[in-house]
Amino acid sequence: MNAPELLDLQNRQIESAYDTKPYTSQAFSYAGPGHLRAVAHLYGMQTVPLAQARVLELGCASGGNLLPFALAYPDATVVGVDISSVQIAHGRQVVQDLGVGNLQLHALDLHAITADFGQFDYIIVHGVFSWVPPEVKQAILRICRENLSPLGVAYVSYNTYPGWKAGDVVRDAMLMHSHGAQDDDERLARARAMLGLLTDGLAGENRLGPSMRAVVESLSAQSDYYIIHEYLEQFNTPCYLVEFADMAAQAGLAYLGDAEPQAELPASYGQKVQLNLSLVALGQPKVMRQQYLDFAVGRTFRKSLLVHGERIDEILSQPDLARLRDLRFAGYFKRLNDDERPGRKYHSKRNQDIRSTEPSMQCVMEALHRAWPRTLTFDALCQEALTQGIALAENTADIVQGELAKLLQHSLLHYALEPVPYDLYRSRSARILPGFCYLHNAGQDPAFTTDCFNFWHESVKVETDQAQAWLLAQLGDGTDIRQASALLIRALQRGIVPGPEGVDLTGQRNLEPVVQRILNRLLIALRQCGLILEQDGNAPNE
């Protein structure tokens, strides 16, 4: 078999694997064009505004990572490509059902994409690079060069060493034990059986034991399709950052930085890491310093940004936190009841509890929470601090920048370079995000593979009882929230849907307070997930 025939066979095997076991297609906040634009700004790079940007995703599955941007920016051009015709067909149906006119999905081998395919301002390649043959890797980087506009940014994610070394051992063991299986179900069962040996069956003197147990523990919470595609596919080839940067350079591209810039700041990992890295990596170039940092933190996954090689001299050596002052910020920080410990306690959208004793941090978090999911400018946050007497005029900006930097280092901030769709909404009444009700209702079918999202480009999930689900179905038909509440009252009275905790409310009167509580709980959950477009002062009480 010659090289072209082998590559064709490998591509058909990859296509078959994803046709048979489709990925759940979802949005990733760090892979959204708006986020990439803001991060590029921190690295000193000029990029293209979002409103009419051209976006391409390679390996888009059913388009779940493209839908938020396409719906938020109807004048933008959005294109997705995937080798799986099954996933593309599913995505096209979703696009048709939602009436998304600016999103096109194509079932294509990446080698079919040439310069004639057009130029794009943002190219996204998430969860593809490590899982394809070397020839396809080269095609990805070629597309990132040939099809990237002059001010464009490409995002490429991949498994990386040194953190994936233990994963390699676990993968090898799972592949060995599942060899000869007749179908995916048998392969999966055999692979999971091997996980028992790699935890309970490891010898005490096995020096790799702690690392392998950590990998196995993380796999215990993963879905079947993740294990099949991550650990049992024909290809999964991690690489060091320096190797990836070298491949990119050979393709005419320059390494810009990570899509999560806090991951490139040694201070994010504590003073010991910061101090020792500064000593060891002194005088080393940008990529080598980052490689040393990967050794220090055991990084397993990289989300690298690339630009044209001609722009390499414009790239800052690390994120410039002074440029935070140019951005807009958002965050969800629900204040919890005070306890006996000092300071105030908050709960983030990522289910993290944060305690702060600093009035300036409390001021920033509470201002962002009141505005959520809309953004506040840096100047607005400074004004809030001044109004509350947190700081004096001469040092307000430095204090606010410092607090924002802390939130950034802990991955607690959303940020953007320009107003986001939440900021631009103008209406007297609140509105649920386009597409959510459809995706939420369709997602009750396990075979449906496109996740819900918000306009911060996150995958979101809202748990609903029967009454709330019925209410969402009405809202999905375009019904106003007040009208939907009146319809729910009648539905409860007629026994069409049970009340809270399944209680039968057939024939009962004066259900307005009950429905208001149902609606308020639903709106709070939707707001927490960033699923409501609203004006100032319209948020439900938490």
Side-chain angles (χ1 to χ4, degrees), residues 6 16 31 39 82 115 147 160 203 213 216 221 246 368 376 394 491:
L6 177 60
S16 175
V39 172
D82 199 281
N147 299 90
T160 193
R213 287 193 184 94
V216 173
D246 182 61
L368 291 174
L376 293 177
E394 58 267 22

Side-chain angles (χ1 to χ4, degrees), residues 492-495 497-500 503-509 511 514:
L492 291 169
Q493 290 174 333
R494 296 172 183 175
V497 63
V503 176
D504 185 359
L505 299 176
T506 302
Q508 293 195 24
R509 298 183 178 182
L511 291 178
V514 174

Side-chain angles (χ1 to χ4, degrees), residues 170-221:
V170 173
R171 170 175 148 81
D172 289 344
M174 294 170 75
L175 285 172
M176 184 174 296
H177 193 56
S178 60
H179 180 72
Q182 298 302 306
D183 54 36
D184 282 342
D185 290 338
E186 185 181 352
R187 289 173 65 215
L188 187 64
R190 291 190 183 187
R192 285 194 180 277
M194 173 55 71
L195 297 181
L197 173 64
L198 300 181
T199 51
D200 300 333
L202 289 181
E205 59 268 23
N206 188 331
R207 295 183 179 181
L208 293 177
S211 299
M212 288 194 291
R213 287 193 184 94
V215 173
V216 173
E217 182 179 354
S218 70
L219 285 177
S220 64

Side-chain angles (χ1 to χ4, degrees), residues 214-537:
V215 173
V216 173
E217 182 179 354
S218 70
L219 285 177
S220 64
Q222 296 293 346
S223 62
D224 289 350
Y225 70 76
Y226 174 86
I227 292 177
I228 287 174
H229 292 308
E230 184 78 1
Y231 281 82
L232 300 180
E233 290 291 4
Q234 180 180 4
F235 294 99
N236 186 342
T237 51
C239 62
Y240 285 102
L241 171 63
V242 290
E243 295 174 320
F244 175 80
D246 182 61
M247 284 187 282
Q250 291 182 41
L253 299 162
Y255 177 76
L256 175 61
D258 199 87
E260 293 190 293
Q262 66 273 21
E264 296 211 327
L265 295 171
S268 298
Y269 306 98
Q271 291 184 347
K272 288 185 177 180
V273 171
Q274 185 178 19
L275 175 61
N276 283 278
L277 185 72
S278 66
L279 295 174
V280 174
L282 182 65
Q284 295 285 351
K286 174 188 176 81
V287 171
M288 189 61 73
R289 290 200 305 275
Q290 285 302 311
Q291 183 61 75
Y292 288 170
L293 182 59
D294 284 3
F295 282 123
V297 303
R299 203 183 309 278
T300 60
F301 196 66
R302 272 277 180 180
K303 312 175 190 73
S304 294
L305 304 185
L306 303 171
V307 295
H308 283 294
E310 297 81 0
R311 304 185 71 190
I312 191 169
D313 292 337
E314 303 173 41
I315 301 172
L316 299 177
S317 61
Q318 64 179 14
D320 181 2
L321 297 185
R323 285 176 163 252
L324 289 172
R325 303 186 183 198
D326 303 326
L327 303 182
R328 307 175 69 97
F329 304 92
Y332 181 92
F333 303 102
K334 180 181 178 181
R335 185 175 172 182
L336 303 179
N337 293 331
D338 292 335
D339 52 28
E340 296 180 356
R341 296 176 60 188
R344 296 178 183 175
K345 187 177 181 181
Y346 302 88
H347 190 70
S348 80
K349 191 161 52 63
R350 296 185 177 181
N351 292 320
Q352 297 168 283
D353 286 341
I354 310 134
R355 182 176 296 277
S356 175
T357 59
E358 295 296 328
S360 53
M361 179 63 83
Q362 296 167 4
C363 172
V364 168
M365 288 196 292
E366 291 175 13
L368 291 174
H369 184 74
R370 286 193 297 272
W372 173 260
R374 292 172 288 110
T375 66
L376 293 177
T377 64
F378 182 82
D379 288 344
L381 288 169
C382 289
Q383 185 58 48
E384 184 74 22
L386 280 171
T387 301
Q388 294 195 22
I390 301 300
L392 301 175
E394 58 267 22
N395 65 354
T396 300
D398 291 339
I399 290 176
V400 170
Q401 178 185 314
E403 303 300 10
L404 289 171
K406 293 175 188 175
L407 293 173
L408 174 72
Q409 288 176 4
H410 289 87
S411 304
L412 292 169
L413 275 183
H414 290 290
Y415 46 94
L417 189 56
E418 55 205 303
V420 300
Y422 298 108
D423 302 323
L424 304 174
Y425 180 68
R426 294 290 178 267
S427 177
R428 293 183 178 180
S429 60
R431 177 189 172 199
I432 295 178
L433 255 64
F436 169 72
C437 293
Y438 163 83
L439 292 172
H440 176 78
N441 295 329
Q444 306 311 304
D445 179 358
F448 190 81
T449 59
T450 303
D451 267 2
C452 300
F453 55 80
N454 63 22
F455 278 164
W456 280 112
H457 219 91
E458 294 176 301
S459 177
V460 296
K461 187 175 182 62
V462 177
E463 299 292 341
T464 56
D465 60 26
Q466 288 180 276
Q468 291 170 337
W470 190 92
L471 194 58
L472 276 177
Q474 308 310 307
L475 294 170
D477 290 334
T479 306
D480 178 83
I481 288 178
R482 292 182 180 178
Q483 293 175 323
S485 299
L487 291 173
L488 179 57
I489 290 175
R490 290 197 287 272
L492 291 169
Q493 290 174 333
R494 296 172 183 175
I496 296 173
V497 63
E501 300 180 359
V503 176
D504 185 359
L505 299 176
T506 302
Q508 293 195 24
R509 298 183 178 182
N510 302 320
L511 291 178
E512 288 84 357
V514 174
V515 168
Q516 188 57 47
R517 288 194 294 272
I518 293 172
L519 177 62
N520 202 51
R521 286 197 299 270
L522 177 61
L523 292 178
I524 288 173
L526 294 175
R527 179 178 182 265
Q528 178 176 350
C529 291
L531 291 167
I532 294 183
L533 297 168
E534 61 191 8
Q535 292 283 63
D536 293 349

